[in-house]
């Protein structure tokens, strides 16, 4: 029987749909249970065979109405899991579809089928700045590319008592005489002194001033030079097709630890940092959780900074510049003795640290980043 190219694309897309709960890969891409720092967890009810058949029929019906070139764009995004750069998929925003008792808009249905089976409402999503529909309200055509979206990471209220940091002295490998500053909680700015001197050199060369610098660490050793960021968005990755940004895979590391090598290989697509109007966002593009510590993620009255877990496909506003400027707590040595700590974010790949983990200090994590913001 003759089969059209369109039918072949639709079948390939359906085979590439996101696995539902209970399938092999589902647990890595959704928050599941025990997401104590990611936010409120939702119990996903496993779909029945009837609803699966209904969803399949509806999805096939909708996909067959989409142009072939648009199907190819969608397939490229889905099969590469967001690794390949794919253009926007502009489709009518007001087309609705019904699955069982639930009614979904066309974009929401595609996001649900190809990224997050437990997705319930568009308020759980955040559009990435690379998307043409970013910042637009109620357009007639909206981008339905599932990998131009991220899932919002909402914090628990109140947050769990994740960790308080004792002393953990680290030195940048190329600055043996410059000791890191630390607080009574043991938090350090690690490479901040080097970062500031490097950043001044960048500005003196006449280039556009940077808004942050990024340091990559393996345990207590910094690997490579600081990466100065001028663009509003930066990809930090180990292995990303068509990747453009800070490639950790190109850095020379002497660390032969099996754990470091294992975690390094799992960084994959890594994270994306974006400077937006309301702050700096971190989007987890990898297949494994990341862990973030930032002063502006905490309650201003909290006694210690917390570590927050961000699952694959989720985004979190890791840094709020306006909030950071007001963080000057007279009884907190972390801010009075070392103000720059308030303008630093730490991100660990795969492994967390603190009271919930065997690693108490970030310097014990195999692979991690330090993002130092330029407040001048």
């Amino acid at each position: 029987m003759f089969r059209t190219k369109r039918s072949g694309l639709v079948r390939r897309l359906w085979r590439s749909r996101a696995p539902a709960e209970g399938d092999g890969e589902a647990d890595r891409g959704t928050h599941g249970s025990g997401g104590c720092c990611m936010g409120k967890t939702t119990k996903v009810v496993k779909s029945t065979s009837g609803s699966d058949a209904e969803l399949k029929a509806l999805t096939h019906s909708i996909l067959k109405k989409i142009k072939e070139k648009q199907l190819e764009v969608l397939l490229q995004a889905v099969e590469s899991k967001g690794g390949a750069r794919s253009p926007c998929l502009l489709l009518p925003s007001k087309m609705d579809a019904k699955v069982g008792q639930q009614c979904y808009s066309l974009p929401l249905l595609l996001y649900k089928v190809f990224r997050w089976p437990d997705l319930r409402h568009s308020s759980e999503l955040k559009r990435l700045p690379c998307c043409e529909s970013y910042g637009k309200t109620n357009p007639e055509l909206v981008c339905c590319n599932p990998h131009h979206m991220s899932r919002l990471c909402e914090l628990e209220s109140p947050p769990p008592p994740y960790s308080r940091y004792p002393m953990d002295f680290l030195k940048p490998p190329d600055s043996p005489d410059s000791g890191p500053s630390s607080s009574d909680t043991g938090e350090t700015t690690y490479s901040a002194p080097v970062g500031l001197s490097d950043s001044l050199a960048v500005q003196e060369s006449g280039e556009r001033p940077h808004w942050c610098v990024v340091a990559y660490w393996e345990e207590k050793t910094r690997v490579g030079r600081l990466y100065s960021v001028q663009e509003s968005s930066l990809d930090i990755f180990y292995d990303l097709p068509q990747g453009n940004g800070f490639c950790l895979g190109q850095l020379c590391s002497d660390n032969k630890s099996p754990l470091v090598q294992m975690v390094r290989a799992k960084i994959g697509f890594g994270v994306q940092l974006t400077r937006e109007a309301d702050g700096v966002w971190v989007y987890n593009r990898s297949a494994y959780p990341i862990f973030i510590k930032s002063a502006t993620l905490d309650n201003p009255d909290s006694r210690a900074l917390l570590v927050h877990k961000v699952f694959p496909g989720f985004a979190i506003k890791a840094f709020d510049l306006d909030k950071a400027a007001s963080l000057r707590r007279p009884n907190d040595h972390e801010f009075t003795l070392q103000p720059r700590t308030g303008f630093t974010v730490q991100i660990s790949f795969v492994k967390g640290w603190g009271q919930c983990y065997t690693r108490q200090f970030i310097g014990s994590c195999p692979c991690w980043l330090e993002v130092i913001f330029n407040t001048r």
Side-chain angles (χ1 to χ4, degrees):
M1 180 179 177
F2 179 74
R3 292 178 177 175
T4 64
K5 180 180 178 182
R6 181 191 301 273
S7 298
L9 291 171
V10 169
R11 286 195 305 277
R12 284 176 63 185
L13 278 165
W14 180 252
R15 288 197 298 267
S16 301
R17 68 190 182 280
E21 188 189 30
D23 292 345
E25 300 177 30
D27 296 335
R28 283 198 320 194
T30 57
H31 42 92
S33 59
C36 57
C37 353
M38 190 220 64
K40 300 174 182 177
T41 58
T42 346
K43 179 64 179 174
V44 183
V45 180
K46 192 173 182 180
S47 55
T48 64
S49 57
S51 62
D52 279 343
E54 187 178 1
L55 180 63
K56 179 177 180 179
L58 179 62
T59 304
H60 275 65
S61 172
I62 289 174
L63 292 178
K64 285 177 180 177
K65 295 176 183 176
I66 298 176
K67 296 177 181 177
E68 279 187 15
K69 284 192 177 294
Q70 292 177 315
L71 288 176
E72 289 173 350
V73 166
L74 181 58
L75 185 64
Q76 178 191 24
V78 170
E79 288 190 336
S80 71
K81 299 186 184 300
R85 290 179 195 159
S86 53
C88 287
L89 177 63
L90 297 175
L91 297 172
S93 59
K94 305 217 170 159
M95 187 186 300
D96 291 335
K98 195 169 185 182
V99 181
Q101 300 300 315
Q102 289 285 105
C103 191
Y104 300 98
S105 65
L106 174 58
L108 195 65
L109 178 67
L110 293 181
Y111 304 151
K112 183 179 176 69
V113 170
F114 295 110
R115 291 277 325 253
W116 301 287
D118 62 331
L119 184 64
R120 297 171 183 270
H121 196 271
S122 59
S123 62
E124 301 172 35
L125 299 172
K126 180 184 182 302
R127 195 170 293 280
L128 298 176
C130 64
C131 184
E132 287 181 28
S133 299
Y134 176 77
K136 295 182 180 177
T137 54
N138 302 319
E140 289 186 10
L141 296 177
V142 66
C143 176
C144 298
N145 187 326
H147 289 277
H148 284 191
M149 303 297 293
S150 62
R151 192 93 175 257
L152 277 171
C153 181
E154 296 182 359
L155 303 180
E156 294 272 6
S157 180
Y162 235 64
S163 63
R164 179 168 181 136
Y165 311 91
M167 292 290 188
D168 187 21
F169 294 102
L170 302 178
K171 285 187 180 182
D174 54 355
S175 182
D177 298 326
S178 175
S181 38
S182 59
S183 70
D184 60 336
T185 60
E187 196 53 45
T188 54
T189 55
Y190 305 112
S191 54
V194 179
L196 292 176
S197 62
D198 284 357
S199 67
L200 289 175
V202 171
Q203 294 188 39
E204 287 171 1
S205 68
E207 295 182 16
R208 182 170 40 169
H210 68 277
W211 58 272
C212 77
V213 291
V214 180
Y216 170 61
W217 294 78
E218 290 181 350
E219 297 174 327
K220 296 186 180 183
T221 302
R222 201 184 83 193
V223 180
R225 294 180 57 82
L226 294 175
Y227 190 96
S228 183
V229 185
Q230 286 88 33
E231 301 296 331
S232 60
S233 178
L234 172 69
D235 288 322
I236 305 172
F237 56 93
Y238 187 81
D239 181 19
L240 178 65
Q242 306 171 4
N244 183 22
F246 189 8
C247 179
L248 305 180
Q250 292 181 347
L251 301 179
C252 295
S253 171
D254 296 327
N255 197 317
K256 305 300 182 184
S257 161
L259 181 60
V260 169
Q261 293 184 16
M262 180 194 74
V263 172
R264 194 189 298 146
K266 288 183 176 181
I267 293 173
F269 297 169
V271 297
Q272 185 178 82
L273 297 181
T274 55
R275 184 183 58 175
E276 304 181 35
D278 59 344
V280 177
W281 287 78
V282 175
Y283 168 46
N284 184 4
R285 303 185 66 182
S286 75
Y288 297 88
I290 60 173
F291 300 82
I292 296 182
K293 190 276 300 178
S294 169
T296 64
L297 285 174
D298 291 347
N299 186 316
D301 299 324
S302 63
R303 297 181 60 188
L305 298 181
L306 309 176
V307 176
H308 302 274
K309 187 176 186 179
V310 181
F311 284 85
F314 281 72
I316 189 170
K317 185 162 74 170
F319 198 76
D320 187 315
L321 292 174
D322 292 334
K323 188 175 178 183
S326 65
L327 287 176
R328 292 291 180 274
R329 297 175 283 189
N331 296 324
D332 191 339
H333 292 284
E334 186 161 12
F335 289 90
T336 57
L337 295 183
Q338 180 46 256
R340 279 197 298 270
T341 304
F343 302 109
T344 304
V345 168
Q346 276 93 31
I347 304 170
S348 174
F349 294 103
V350 184
K351 301 296 183 181
W353 77 98
Q355 291 180 359
C356 289
Y357 299 92
T358 56
R359 297 168 185 82
Q360 293 300 299
F361 322 125
I362 189 162
S364 302
C365 292
C367 304
W368 56 282
L369 302 170
E370 182 182 27
V371 184
I372 307 158
F373 296 99
N374 181 10
T375 57
R376 298 181 181 228

